[in-house]
Amino acid sequence: RPSRHYTDSGMRWCDAAETLAGPGENAGADALSLADPAEVAADIAAYARAVGADLVISYDDAGGYGHPDHVALAAPSRAAASELGVPFLEIATDPDSAGHTVETHHQLERVAEALRHHRTQLVVEGDQVVHVGGQRQAIQLVFTLREPGAS
């Protein structure tokens, strides 16, 4: 099959505090948020199979802070995990959500290095990221992981 290429869907801030994102106005035809979820799930499963993944982790249905691509990945990631027969955990948006808290403070440099691979989206400055729109926030180092449907 021919390979698929997804582009960033873009976003805009939906609140004055710049903590909740929504779809951008100019998403291209190959934007991830516009892709067929079944194709996205197949691509995730193929990649996970190729690297020997034994677990899939993605955002919950709210997509973290609401970025349309994060929202678009939740269901296909669950479907890919199901197809592969591996556990699926989601990064819960609700900090009071039942789940397993993972603190990665000791991994700041590793997390920062991973974030640097998203240079079209952000710049890492010390323990903060600066988004392309100029928004600055601390690098997230505490996550709540839960199985889908847990409350």
Side-chain angles (χ1 to χ4, degrees), residues 6-99:
Y6 304 106
T7 59
D8 188 291
S9 299
M11 60 162 262
R12 62 180 172 76
W13 292 111
C14 297
D15 63 345
E18 297 182 341
T19 58
L20 178 64
E25 296 176 6
N26 299 315
D30 57 352
L32 179 60
S33 65
L34 301 177
D36 177 345
E39 289 181 354
V40 175
D43 291 342
I44 293 168
Y47 180 78
R49 195 175 290 111
V51 299
D54 57 7
L55 171 72
V56 174
I57 300 174
S58 185
Y59 286 101
D60 64 7
D61 290 331
Y65 58 89
H67 191 290
D69 291 337
H70 299 179
V71 172
L73 283 173
S77 296
R78 280 192 301 275
S82 178
E83 176 185 328
L84 295 168
V86 300
F88 175 77
L89 295 175
E90 57 189 21
I91 300 171
T93 303
D94 179 2
D96 296 326
S97 174

Side-chain angles (χ1 to χ4, degrees), residues 58-143:
S58 185
Y59 286 101
D60 64 7
D61 290 331
Y65 58 89
H67 191 290
D69 291 337
H70 299 179
V71 172
L73 283 173
S77 296
R78 280 192 301 275
S82 178
E83 176 185 328
L84 295 168
V86 300
F88 175 77
L89 295 175
E90 57 189 21
I91 300 171
T93 303
D94 179 2
D96 296 326
S97 174
H100 179 73
T101 301
V102 178
E103 296 191 24
T104 61
H105 293 93
H106 63 290
Q107 296 287 343
L108 173 61
E109 285 306 313
R110 190 172 187 182
V111 173
E113 181 60 28
L115 288 167
R116 287 186 186 100
H117 289 276
H118 300 276
R119 64 184 169 268
T120 63
Q121 303 296 305
L122 55 86
V123 173
V124 176
E125 291 183 359
D127 63 353
Q128 295 188 327
V129 294
V130 181
H131 296 273
V132 294
Q135 303 83 7
R136 182 178 291 271
Q137 70 184 115
I139 294 174
Q140 184 175 351
L141 295 169
V142 178
F143 302 90

